[in-house]
Amino acid sequence: QVQLVESGGGLVQAGGSLRLSCSASGIIFSINAMGWYRQAPGKQRELVARITSGSSTNYADSVKGRFTISRDNAKKTVYLQMNSLKPEDTAVYYCSLWPPTYNYWGQGTQVTVQV
C-alpha cells in the first residue's frame, strides 16, 4: 500500500520561507522520480518541481530560483525548500510520483502566504 505523508506547511508572511517534507512508503523510493504539486482554490493541480532518481531537477517557471526540491533516499523523503514566498504561492501542496501515473496522493499540506 502506497502512502505519501506531507508536512511542513503553515502560515507565513510574504518573503518568508518554509520547508515541506514528504515521507513515502510502499514504493521503491530510490528508483522513482518524485514531484511536488500544488492546488490553489478554484484552480487545477499543477506541477511545481520534480526530481529524478538521479536527482536531476526541473521547476515551474513561477517558482524557479525560489524553490528547491531535494531527496533523501535513505529516509524515503522528498523535500521542497520554499524561499521568497509570495501570496500567489498559497495552495495545498502535495507530493507524488512523477509523472503521477498511478494517482497516488497524500492528504497535502496547506501553505498560506500573507501580504
Side-chain angles (χ1 to χ4, degrees):
Q1 182 182 358
V2 177
Q3 280 194 315
L4 300 165
V5 180
E6 301 94 344
S7 61
L11 177 64
V12 65
Q13 297 294 316
S17 298
L18 285 172
R19 189 192 193 207
L20 307 183
S21 300
C22 171
S23 177
S25 62
I27 59 171
I28 305 175
F29 182 81
S30 61
I31 66 171
N32 280 285
M34 300 295 294
W36 279 100
Y37 305 77
R38 67 185 180 188
Q39 187 167 20
K43 295 188 177 181
Q44 287 192 330
R45 192 172 299 181
E46 62 174 350
L47 177 68
V48 173
R50 57 180 170 91
I51 185 166
T52 68
S53 59
S55 293
S56 294
T57 59
N58 190 271
Y59 298 91
D61 287 343
S62 58
V63 307
K64 206 170 288 183
R66 300 188 297 122
F67 290 11
T68 302
I69 189 171
S70 61
R71 64 190 297 157
D72 185 331
N73 288 338
K75 294 183 179 179
K76 297 183 180 180
T77 300
V78 60
Y79 304 98
L80 187 67
Q81 177 67 45
M82 306 187 296
N83 298 328
S84 302
L85 283 160
K86 304 176 180 180
E88 51 264 43
D89 295 318
T90 295
V92 178
Y93 284 71
Y94 302 88
C95 74
S96 186
L97 279 65
W98 183 84
T101 308
Y102 299 104
N103 218 28
Y104 297 136
W105 300 101
Q107 82 289 349
T109 187
Q110 175 71 47
V111 171
T112 303
V113 184
Q114 286 187 332
V115 175

